[in-house]
Amino acid sequence: MIHGDYIIRETDGVAAAEVLHYLNAQAPDHFPPLEQRHLERGYWWLVRTWNRAIVGFAGMVPMTPFDGVGYFKRAYVDPAHRGNGLQFKLLRLREAKALEIGWHTLVSEISKDNSHSASNFIKAGFSVCNPEQIWGAPGSIYFVKRLAA
């Protein structure tokens, strides 16, 4: 998928584990380390510039134990490349993949101080929700989107 000055491609999480762990570690205050099960059972995208520099990634995993529910595991764009619509594009690509594999609902959470991500989730049709069981850090904002079949 070409997006302006960027190429976004789905990748195998296990094959790309080294780069995914590296990118995930760029936001240690927000992202705990990825586990092998996330890489094996998830769907992952890398964002590259035309000169092949990797500047972002996103992931989506099954929301265990709920069948047909996907969890937006991670999304990160290098600060030098923010403001180019990449996070929104990554939201849309993950949603398209969820529809392709038959999932009916998507969920995620973000830090309460991440207003840019919150705006992107709202723009992508997600709603703020209060989950029955809290899984994120204190003060997280939770999102849900029901997908049309």
Side-chain angles (χ1 to χ4, degrees):
M1 168 74 51
I2 297 173
H3 179 75
D5 293 331
Y6 302 92
I7 301 166
I8 305 173
R9 291 220 169 94
E10 188 173 349
T11 190
D12 178 275
V14 174
E18 186 176 342
V19 72
L20 291 171
H21 283 299
Y22 171 79
L23 291 168
N24 189 74
Q26 299 310 298
D29 295 342
H30 298 288
F31 297 158
L34 291 168
E35 297 176 23
Q36 187 66 22
R37 66 187 170 97
H38 301 138
L39 301 172
E40 292 171 353
R41 297 187 61 220
Y43 302 90
W44 298 92
W45 290 261
L46 291 175
V47 180
R48 296 180 187 270
T49 62
W50 285 103
N51 67 358
R52 304 199 41 80
I54 299 172
V55 298
F57 81 110
M60 178 176 73
V61 298
M63 181 68 162
T64 307
F66 307 103
D67 289 335
V69 178
Y71 171 60
F72 282 9
K73 185 69 180 166
R74 298 284 190 272
Y76 173 80
V77 174
D78 182 288
H81 297 271
R82 293 179 184 163
N84 292 302
L86 294 170
Q87 185 195 40
F88 185 75
K89 188 63 170 175
L90 289 164
L91 284 167
R92 290 299 200 198
L93 288 170
R94 290 182 285 174
E95 181 178 334
K97 183 66 172 188
L99 284 166
E100 176 187 320
I101 60 178
W103 288 353
H104 56 78
T105 305
L106 294 170
V107 296
S108 193
E109 96 281 345
I110 62 168
S111 171
K112 65 183 172 188
D113 62 350
N114 194 342
S115 61
H116 294 292
S117 289
S119 294
N120 279 321
F121 272 101
I122 298 298
K123 182 179 169 185
F126 283 75
S127 300
V128 174
C129 68
N130 292 311
E132 185 176 306
Q133 199 167 24
I134 302 298
W135 68 82
S140 291
I141 302 169
Y142 295 86
F143 291 92
V144 64
K145 183 172 184 177
R146 311 258 186 255
L147 303 176

